[in-house]
Amino acid sequence: MKQKRMVTMILTAAMVLSLAACGGTQESPNHTDDAASKQITDFVDWILAANESTTFLMVHTQLSRDLRLMGNIYSSLVARDNHSNYIPNVAKEWSHDETSETWTFKLRDDVTWVDVNGEYKGDCTAWDWATSMEWILNYHKNGAENTSMLIELITGAGEYYEYTKTLTEEEGRATKGSDKKFLDTVGIEIPDDYTIIYHLAKPAPYFHTVAVGACMCPLPQGQIDELGVDGTLAQTNENMWYNGPYTITEFIKGNSKVLKPNPAYFDKDCTLFDSVTILVAEDNNRVNELFMNGEVDRCEVTAANLRTIWGNESDPWHDYLVQTRPTYTNYQLVFNFGKRDANGEMDEQWNKAAANEAFRQSIYYGLDLKEYWAAFDFINPESNWTETFMTRELVNFSDGTDYVDRLMEVLGFVDGPRQNDELAQQYVEQAKRELSAQGVTFPVKMEFYIKSGDQVELDNATVLGQTIESIAEDYIDFEIKTYMTSLSQEVRTPGVASVLVERWGADYSDPENFLNQLVTGSDSAIYSILLNKANDITDPELKGVFNEFSQMVAEANAITGDTDERYEAQVQAEAFYYSHALMVPLRGNSLWSMTKENSYARPNTYTYKSWETSTEPYTTEQYIQIKNDFDAGKI
């Protein structure tokens, strides 16, 4: 379904020239003074084809592409406001004991499950969280998806997970969250239909922040009884049960999705759109075109269009370029230590190079990322400077110091980027000597994958490749390759890329949420299993480095009495990871946009709830004022 809602436009000859990159003439906005007070009733958003949803079952995914849609159809225990404060949602209140090891959540009694048409299916009760936890911790139902946080935090969770592995598939799929075995093993109590008590394996004063994430999403036993385990795993928008603000009334894979308000939604004080339509675009150039045609209500301005529009003050879109609220994710260059070729055979040349610390260090210190940053924000490229996996504004030491600021201090990069040409060249020469002795030939081929036909990805990858190849002559040959449909299925899982550009967003407010993704020996460490294949490393020296890091993380996470001591130990572990160049931080997430949505007035999520919008695009001046009001606590 395509909805086209044109704002008042004036066709200009200048627009024909400035938007040639988008493939044709575009129209310009005519913004009125009171536009910001006029709210959009039918919002139109977008996703890239490469980020199409993979499942409708929230407990069965950890991918942001799924969670941005699932956050609209499931309601969690706790929510966040636009300043990232944790506020009641299905849980109207919560408390914990003195050690933060026992947590009690009191639930609302007016939350219900409905079908896609808004028809009543059942009450949402505390038992839905027991059902969900049993499902996640059941190997025969959920594999290893979303187990990490529960196993780390909940008493008996790991024990129950291992127990389900001993069951036959038929036995495992027959279990329920109300079973005595589950309740006797796992630290969850349901004293009544609207109370949940969690018993933790360790003190966790941040546990309420976990209650926002997918691992603590509810799942009704009634739906499982109705659809079966296989049916629930393969549930669609048409047969699943909803308790969130919207239902998905239309879902065309690779095309549009339509969300309509859930008539039974419990939060009667919030504002919802009459509809939300999500269009699928092949790349960001197309998204820019859709916005300028009035077909979507926000876009991220591509580098080519940003340069064109910014450099021409008479361009009709010049005064509508805004910097929206950044998402709290950093991007990294992730080495694949277990690369395979197209035939599934181990790529020994690359794997030997990646296992060599001098080779990795030459890249870590040799990258001059200014041009790469400029590909995303040429106006202020340094705004994309980052040296960490962790992101700011997640946790602070007791004196107010942000975790990332302390980490930067330990790394010694407070005054500027890590780039050090002299040191990089020393590592280049060392890597050449050591790798040549192992039979590695230069230049080393580094294969990088992008979505076929995505010009924006190609442009960005080209700049990245030039940056990497410039470290030293005839040292690395950066080869851009393409996948057709799924990065996960075609590239990550088979491990055919030498390096990946990845990012991770926090599920809850503790550094372990990031660090646990990097350790080895864990069934749920996404980076080590899916991305860098660290669990499969055979090189003894590299394996020893990962083992030492994993031990540091375990010891840091075990510190629960003193948060300053805990954070400092986690800082040291993360610094150790970079000291061996096991990952190369690339950039932050500073982006320029054109939009009709106030990103500072909503939580930093994709839930289309209580959004502030304008029927006409916000101006640069308006958005600067919006940010100033946000920083001053006025919104």
Side-chain angles (χ1 to χ4, degrees), residues 140-157:
H140 296 288
K141 295 177 182 177
N142 221 44
E145 285 287 348
N146 266 319
T147 60
S148 60
M149 283 178 278
L150 296 182
I151 290 174
E152 176 74 23
L153 291 170
I154 306 296
T155 299

Side-chain angles (χ1 to χ4, degrees), residues 48-52 65 280-282 451 454 457 483 485-487:
L48 295 180
N51 293 329
E52 178 65 275
R65 68 173 63 185
V280 177
E282 59 271 22
K451 177 75 164 60
D454 191 322
E457 280 198 20
Y483 65 92
T485 305
S486 170
L487 177 64

Side-chain angles (χ1 to χ4, degrees), residues 103-236:
W103 285 73
T104 302
F105 291 82
K106 294 288 187 179
L107 277 54
R108 303 172 63 111
D109 62 4
D110 58 349
V111 184
T112 60
W113 294 98
V114 299
D115 65 14
V116 67
N117 299 312
E119 298 295 325
Y120 175 83
K121 298 293 290 187
D123 292 338
C124 180
T125 72
W127 287 106
D128 298 326
W129 274 266
T131 298
S132 169
M133 185 180 291
E134 196 283 328
W135 178 285
I136 293 172
L137 295 175
N138 191 314
Y139 177 78
H140 296 288
K141 295 177 182 177
N142 221 44
E145 285 287 348
N146 266 319
T147 60
S148 60
M149 283 178 278
L150 296 182
I151 290 174
E152 176 74 23
L153 291 170
I154 306 296
T155 299
E159 180 184 346
Y160 186 78
Y161 177 69
E162 293 301 325
Y163 159 74
T164 64
K165 289 182 176 180
T166 69
L167 302 176
T168 65
E169 182 174 353
E170 182 179 3
E171 291 170 337
R173 291 183 165 216
T175 59
K176 297 182 178 181
S178 58
D179 290 350
K180 186 176 186 300
K181 174 64 177 179
F182 173 72
L183 294 173
D184 286 348
T185 305
V186 180
I188 185 171
E189 286 185 69
I190 311 295
D192 60 64
D193 285 349
Y194 298 99
T195 303
I196 312 173
I197 301 174
Y198 293 99
H199 298 283
L200 308 189
K202 63 181 184 181
Y206 55 84
F207 183 68
H208 63 294
T209 73
V210 181
V212 175
C215 72
M216 291 182 67
C217 171
L219 182 64
Q221 184 62 46
Q223 180 194 293
I224 301 172
D225 294 340
E226 183 177 286
L227 301 181
V229 171
D230 286 333
T232 299
L233 284 167
Q235 68 184 30
T236 69

Side-chain angles (χ1 to χ4, degrees), residues 27 49 97 113 160 222 237 327 371 384 387 389 497 549 609 626:
E27 300 180 4
D97 63 0
W113 294 98
Y160 186 78
N237 65 300
T327 58
E371 288 300 317
N384 272 299
E387 300 289 354
F389 185 37
F549 165 75
K609 175 179 173 179
I626 285 171

Side-chain angles (χ1 to χ4, degrees), residues 1 3 5 40-44 246 249 258-261 272-278 297 608:
M1 173 175 149
Q3 297 182 356
R5 295 169 291 107
I40 295 173
T41 55
D42 297 284
F43 194 82
V44 182
Y246 293 92
T249 57
V258 179
L259 282 63
K260 290 292 182 69
L272 301 176
F273 295 111
D274 291 345
S275 69
V276 176
T277 300
I278 302 172
D297 291 318
Y608 302 101

Side-chain angles (χ1 to χ4, degrees), residues 562-582:
D562 184 328
T563 55
D564 282 350
E565 183 183 355
R566 175 187 181 86
Y567 296 159
E568 180 62 25
Q570 291 169 325
V571 161
Q572 297 299 329
E574 187 168 347
F576 176 88
Y577 201 79
Y578 306 130
S579 73
H580 292 277
L582 299 175

